[in-house]
PDB file of all heavy atoms in Angstrom:
ATOM      1  N   ILE C  12     -28.081 -31.939 -26.061  1.00 43.00           N
ATOM      2  CA  ILE C  12     -27.256 -31.103 -26.971  1.00 43.00           C
ATOM      3  C   ILE C  12     -26.287 -32.002 -27.733  1.00 43.00           C
ATOM      4  O   ILE C  12     -26.089 -31.887 -28.911  1.00 43.00           O
ATOM      5  CB  ILE C  12     -26.515 -30.058 -26.190  1.00 43.00           C
ATOM      6  CG1 ILE C  12     -27.466 -29.288 -25.217  1.00 43.00           C
ATOM      7  CG2 ILE C  12     -25.803 -29.093 -27.099  1.00 43.00           C
ATOM      8  CD1 ILE C  12     -28.716 -28.800 -25.872  1.00 43.00           C
ATOM      9  N   LEU C  13     -25.609 -32.868 -26.942  1.00 47.00           N
ATOM     10  CA  LEU C  13     -24.578 -33.689 -27.544  1.00 47.00           C
ATOM     11  C   LEU C  13     -25.187 -34.661 -28.559  1.00 47.00           C
ATOM     12  O   LEU C  13     -24.466 -35.032 -29.523  1.00 47.00           O
ATOM     13  CB  LEU C  13     -23.789 -34.466 -26.479  1.00 47.00           C
ATOM     14  CG  LEU C  13     -23.082 -33.538 -25.392  1.00 47.00           C
ATOM     15  CD1 LEU C  13     -22.447 -34.421 -24.365  1.00 47.00           C
ATOM     16  CD2 LEU C  13     -22.083 -32.671 -26.136  1.00 47.00           C
ATOM     17  N   SER C  14     -26.428 -35.046 -28.357  1.00 46.00           N
ATOM     18  CA  SER C  14     -27.045 -36.013 -29.309  1.00 46.00           C
ATOM     19  C   SER C  14     -27.181 -35.381 -30.711  1.00 46.00           C
ATOM     20  O   SER C  14     -27.266 -36.139 -31.713  1.00 46.00           O
ATOM     21  CB  SER C  14     -28.406 -36.413 -28.819  1.00 46.00           C
ATOM     22  OG  SER C  14     -29.325 -35.281 -28.877  1.00 46.00           O
ATOM     23  N   MET C  15     -27.113 -34.066 -30.789  1.00 42.00           N
ATOM     24  CA  MET C  15     -27.193 -33.404 -32.095  1.00 42.00           C
ATOM     25  C   MET C  15     -26.005 -33.665 -33.009  1.00 42.00           C
ATOM     26  O   MET C  15     -26.072 -33.511 -34.166  1.00 42.00           O
ATOM     27  CB  MET C  15     -27.405 -31.879 -31.911  1.00 42.00           C
ATOM     28  CG  MET C  15     -28.700 -31.560 -31.223  1.00 42.00           C
ATOM     29  SD  MET C  15     -28.870 -29.765 -31.061  1.00 42.00           S
ATOM     30  CE  MET C  15     -30.460 -29.614 -30.240  1.00 42.00           C
ATOM     31  N   ILE C  16     -24.894 -33.934 -32.326  1.00 42.00           N
ATOM     32  CA  ILE C  16     -23.669 -34.123 -33.092  1.00 42.00           C
ATOM     33  C   ILE C  16     -23.126 -35.513 -33.011  1.00 42.00           C
ATOM     34  O   ILE C  16     -21.963 -35.821 -33.272  1.00 42.00           O
ATOM     35  CB  ILE C  16     -22.593 -33.134 -32.614  1.00 42.00           C
ATOM     36  CG1 ILE C  16     -22.376 -33.240 -31.101  1.00 42.00           C
ATOM     37  CG2 ILE C  16     -22.994 -31.742 -33.052  1.00 42.00           C
ATOM     38  CD1 ILE C  16     -21.248 -32.304 -30.657  1.00 42.00           C
ATOM     39  N   GLN C  17     -23.982 -36.515 -32.674  1.00 42.00           N
ATOM     40  CA  GLN C  17     -23.479 -37.884 -32.516  1.00 42.00           C
ATOM     41  C   GLN C  17     -23.678 -38.631 -33.899  1.00 42.00           C
ATOM     42  O   GLN C  17     -24.574 -38.346 -34.627  1.00 42.00           O
ATOM     43  CB  GLN C  17     -24.191 -38.649 -31.414  1.00 42.00           C
ATOM     44  CG  GLN C  17     -25.655 -38.974 -31.710  1.00 42.00           C
ATOM     45  CD  GLN C  17     -26.220 -39.721 -30.518  1.00 42.00           C
ATOM     46  OE1 GLN C  17     -25.788 -39.695 -29.386  1.00 42.00           O
ATOM     47  NE2 GLN C  17     -27.283 -40.478 -30.757  1.00 42.00           N
ATOM     48  N   PRO C  18     -22.758 -39.587 -34.174  1.00 38.00           N
ATOM     49  CA  PRO C  18     -22.872 -40.317 -35.470  1.00 38.00           C
ATOM     50  C   PRO C  18     -24.099 -41.166 -35.474  1.00 38.00           C
ATOM     51  O   PRO C  18     -24.573 -41.704 -34.465  1.00 38.00           O
ATOM     52  CB  PRO C  18     -21.583 -41.120 -35.430  1.00 38.00           C
ATOM     53  CG  PRO C  18     -20.708 -40.542 -34.359  1.00 38.00           C
ATOM     54  CD  PRO C  18     -21.613 -39.930 -33.403  1.00 38.00           C
ATOM     55  N   VAL C  19     -24.560 -41.413 -36.704  1.00 38.00           N
ATOM     56  CA  VAL C  19     -25.722 -42.315 -36.839  1.00 38.00           C
ATOM     57  C   VAL C  19     -25.441 -43.414 -37.874  1.00 38.00           C
ATOM     58  O   VAL C  19     -25.311 -44.597 -37.484  1.00 38.00           O
ATOM     59  CB  VAL C  19     -26.991 -41.497 -37.291  1.00 38.00           C
ATOM     60  CG1 VAL C  19     -28.149 -42.407 -37.399  1.00 38.00           C
ATOM     61  CG2 VAL C  19     -27.263 -40.405 -36.276  1.00 38.00           C
ATOM     62  N   ASN C  20     -25.295 -43.037 -39.076  1.00 40.00           N
ATOM     63  CA  ASN C  20     -25.107 -44.093 -40.188  1.00 40.00           C
ATOM     64  C   ASN C  20     -23.786 -43.917 -41.024  1.00 40.00           C
ATOM     65  O   ASN C  20     -23.418 -44.902 -41.583  1.00 40.00           O
ATOM     66  CB  ASN C  20     -26.330 -44.015 -41.070  1.00 40.00           C
ATOM     67  CG  ASN C  20     -27.632 -44.381 -40.350  1.00 40.00           C
ATOM     68  OD1 ASN C  20     -27.629 -45.322 -39.591  1.00 40.00           O
ATOM     69  ND2 ASN C  20     -28.621 -43.584 -40.617  1.00 40.00           N
ATOM     70  N   ILE C  21     -23.320 -42.718 -41.167  1.00 46.00           N
ATOM     71  CA  ILE C  21     -22.252 -42.529 -42.150  1.00 46.00           C
ATOM     72  C   ILE C  21     -21.011 -42.094 -41.490  1.00 46.00           C
ATOM     73  O   ILE C  21     -21.020 -41.573 -40.356  1.00 46.00           O
ATOM     74  CB  ILE C  21     -22.682 -41.506 -43.259  1.00 46.00           C
ATOM     75  CG1 ILE C  21     -22.953 -40.168 -42.574  1.00 46.00           C
ATOM     76  CG2 ILE C  21     -23.806 -42.051 -44.064  1.00 46.00           C
ATOM     77  CD1 ILE C  21     -23.204 -39.092 -43.605  1.00 46.00           C
ATOM     78  N   PHE C  22     -19.839 -42.302 -42.142  1.00 55.00           N
ATOM     79  CA  PHE C  22     -18.597 -41.937 -41.589  1.00 55.00           C
ATOM     80  C   PHE C  22     -17.742 -41.194 -42.610  1.00 55.00           C
ATOM     81  O   PHE C  22     -18.027 -41.284 -43.781  1.00 55.00           O
ATOM     82  CB  PHE C  22     -17.836 -43.219 -41.119  1.00 55.00           C
ATOM     83  CG  PHE C  22     -18.627 -44.024 -40.125  1.00 55.00           C
ATOM     84  CD1 PHE C  22     -19.259 -45.200 -40.514  1.00 55.00           C
ATOM     85  CD2 PHE C  22     -18.729 -43.623 -38.787  1.00 55.00           C
ATOM     86  CE1 PHE C  22     -19.982 -45.938 -39.617  1.00 55.00           C
ATOM     87  CE2 PHE C  22     -19.465 -44.358 -37.894  1.00 55.00           C
ATOM     88  CZ  PHE C  22     -20.092 -45.537 -38.274  1.00 55.00           C
ATOM     89  N   ALA C  23     -16.702 -40.530 -42.095  1.00 61.00           N
ATOM     90  CA  ALA C  23     -15.906 -39.746 -42.980  1.00 61.00           C
ATOM     91  C   ALA C  23     -14.762 -40.574 -43.664  1.00 61.00           C
ATOM     92  O   ALA C  23     -14.167 -40.183 -44.713  1.00 61.00           O
ATOM     93  CB  ALA C  23     -15.259 -38.567 -42.284  1.00 61.00           C
TER      94      ALA C  23
END
Side-chain angles (χ1 to χ4, degrees):
I12 310 310
L13 298 180
S14 68
M15 295 181 179
I16 53 176
Q17 72 179 23
V19 181
N20 297 314
I21 61 175
F22 304 102

